[in-house]
Amino acid sequence: MSGGLVALLDDVAAIAKLAAASVDDIGAAASRAGIKAIGVVVDDTAVTPRYVTGFRPERELPIIWRIAKGSLRNKIVFILPAALLLSQVLPWAITPILMLGGAYLCFEGAEKVYEALGGGHGHAEEGGAAVGSAAHEEQMVSGAVRTDFILSAEIMAISLGEVAQEPLVSRALILVVVALVITLLVYGLVGLIVKMDDLGLKLAQSGSGAARTVGRGLVRGMPVIMSVLSVVGTAAMLWVGGHIVLVGLEEFGLGGPLHFFHGLAVSAGHALPFAEAVVEWLVETLGSALVGLVLGGLIVGVMHLLPRKGGKAAH
């Protein structure tokens, strides 16, 4: 009897060790996958703050929370099952779907450039909603969640590529961990960014001279930082979208454009050996952004300029 109990305890211990090892493996794989997708995480962080511009301070964190919930829903409810299913039955379909998503990002980025040049109006104006109103908030949250869907799809696709050889259940668990950690990271950082001006105001009103100086600097600097982030967010959409399209074309045997920019980057890096890695990254990024701007501009032309030619009012 005691021997049977000892054997049972040995089995339980073995199962516990196996479970612990599995958890460690999942954590390590999730870490590798998340690091691989860090470039898109930076883009997502840069894009999001512009969606809370113009709202009262007390609405900023609730709006970010709504976007974060939408982002997590995108990743776990929609993207994760679709990615796992496609990876099992139609792995070839992932690339064209990602390319469509990349084209959408190019359109979003190019449209922002078009609007900045005076060729169109912002989303709030298009919808006729007053800035800061409830309707405007709905429009901004919906727009942010739509844009996040594409970035989240790219994050999950990159992560899936890193763990493609894992069993299906392990793949699913790893992607859930990636979705949770990256969503927390991105929207935690966004929350800090958009509340820095409020922190600056509190410091400026404190009793310490050094704190007041720092606070005044934050209050004066945050509008500039937000404007810079808005520009970075637009550039990021063009860069990521263009890169997705270039990589997709290469997978379909049309790698000329991607190889051209890579060769250009390598040559530029060799010309400046003291900053070779930075120069190569910058040239390849600019190449992807240029492709994104051209492709996005063509889509903007179809969506905005052609209706105007036909005598309709462009929105």
Side-chain angles (χ1 to χ4, degrees), residues 98-173:
L98 282 176
M99 291 177 71
L100 286 174
Y104 176 78
L105 280 180
C106 295
F107 163 70
E108 282 279 303
E111 188 175 44
K112 293 301 173 188
V113 174
Y114 176 63
E115 290 168 0
L117 295 175
H121 304 290
H123 290 299
E125 295 173 348
E126 290 171 5
V131 174
S133 66
H136 181 217
E137 179 175 323
E138 289 299 324
Q139 290 173 2
M140 290 295 101
V141 171
S142 297
V145 172
R146 282 196 305 270
T147 299
D148 172 272
F149 188 93
I150 307 303
L151 293 172
S152 290
E154 178 67 0
I155 288 168
M156 299 296 276
I158 292 172
S159 302
L160 180 62
E162 284 297 294
V163 297
Q165 304 306 315
E166 298 286 338
L168 180 61
V169 173
S170 295
R171 245 181 295 161
L173 291 175

Side-chain angles (χ1 to χ4, degrees), residues 49-64 66 130-137 140 191 194-195 197-198 201 226:
R50 68 188 178 90
Y51 289 102
V52 298
T53 302
F55 290 97
R56 299 188 309 276
E58 62 269 21
R59 288 306 306 159
E60 290 174 344
L61 289 182
I63 290 171
I64 292 169
R66 291 182 64 192
V131 174
S133 66
H136 181 217
E137 179 175 323
M140 290 295 101
V194 301
K195 298 308 290 182
D197 54 348
D198 292 341
L201 184 59
M226 292 296 286

Side-chain angles (χ1 to χ4, degrees), residues 36 65 133 214 222 241 286:
K36 187 76 172 182
W65 173 238
S133 66
V214 172
M222 283 313 295
L286 289 174

Side-chain angles (χ1 to χ4, degrees), residues 248-274:
L249 288 174
E250 184 188 35
E251 291 194 21
F252 284 114
L254 301 173
L258 185 64
H259 296 158
F260 169 77
F261 288 119
H262 178 69
L264 195 63
V266 171
S267 298
H270 289 165
L272 297 169
F274 57 89

